Amino acid sequence: MSIYRIEKDQRIGDEAMDLLLLADPSEEMIQSYVTGSTVFQLRVGNELAGIAVCKEMTADSLEIKNIAVGEKHQKKGYGRALLEACIEYGKQSPYMYLSIATGNSSKHQIALYESCGFLIHHIEKDYFIKHYPEPIYENGIQCCDKVVLRRHI
């Protein structure tokens, strides 16, 4: 396993887009935040197994906009490795906070983020209903609310 940082504004490619779509079903939304972001790619051999996108949000805040691991590579610690790469990147930057958001239906992701030092900061009610044309379901639950977690870096 190796993690590579792709600098801002480099093209991410179709393989990376396919992974990003696992965590965010809107290519339009992905395109809106991937430009100007720092991308981390996790490779197992020559295969792209995971990806994370970090974007500056304010003068003191960095956000992980997307993090995804391919289905056959899940439950191997790769998501945690990407989170740790993003945290380390944040610590080496001038930012004070690192945030990450997910849906209310993403129970496993919320537990992972909390185990990496993130705490629930706030909840945006009906975010996914307002911003996505099709309903999103995960774990048998409709994804309605955006749960924003944050940690000090």
Side-chain angles (χ1 to χ4, degrees):
M1 171 196 75
S2 301
I3 298 177
Y4 302 93
R5 188 167 88 193
I6 298 173
E7 294 305 323
K8 296 176 182 177
D9 298 324
Q10 283 187 300
R11 186 172 173 342
I12 59 165
D14 294 338
E15 184 182 29
M17 179 60 75
D18 289 343
L19 277 179
L20 293 170
L21 286 166
L22 293 174
D24 186 339
S26 172
E27 189 168 338
E28 183 179 327
M29 291 289 276
I30 293 168
Q31 292 293 351
S32 75
Y33 58 71
V34 79
T35 301
S37 295
T38 299
V39 177
F40 293 90
Q41 291 188 350
L42 185 146
R43 294 194 168 271
V44 175
N46 291 328
E47 186 176 0
L48 181 61
I51 191 164
V53 178
C54 293
K55 187 170 183 78
E56 178 182 316
M57 300 307 290
T58 66
D60 70 347
S61 178
L62 184 67
E63 182 177 348
I64 301 171
K65 298 295 285 182
N66 190 319
I67 187 166
V69 174
E71 290 181 30
K72 80 177 197 177
H73 296 288
Q74 293 177 3
K75 301 194 186 315
K76 297 179 181 177
Y78 297 151
R80 181 178 298 277
L82 282 165
L83 276 173
E84 289 171 357
C86 293
I87 292 166
E88 194 55 39
Y89 171 70
K91 285 180 178 178
Q92 296 174 12
S93 73
Y95 307 107
M96 291 179 59
Y97 300 102
L98 178 62
S99 63
I100 189 166
T102 192
N104 61 285
S105 56
S106 300
K107 304 297 184 189
H108 300 293
Q109 290 88 335
I110 292 170
L112 172 62
Y113 304 155
E114 288 180 328
S115 75
C116 289
F118 290 86
L119 299 172
I120 294 175
H121 185 260
H122 66 276
I123 297 172
E124 294 180 34
K125 291 290 195 187
D126 296 330
Y127 178 88
F128 292 97
I129 293 171
K130 293 174 185 172
H131 293 92
Y132 288 81
E134 300 292 325
I136 301 168
Y137 288 88
E138 183 180 23
N139 300 315
I141 303 166
Q142 184 175 2
C143 184
C144 301
D145 304 330
K146 180 178 179 179
V147 179
V148 180
L149 298 96
R150 186 172 85 163
R151 64 166 282 156
H152 190 271
I153 48 174

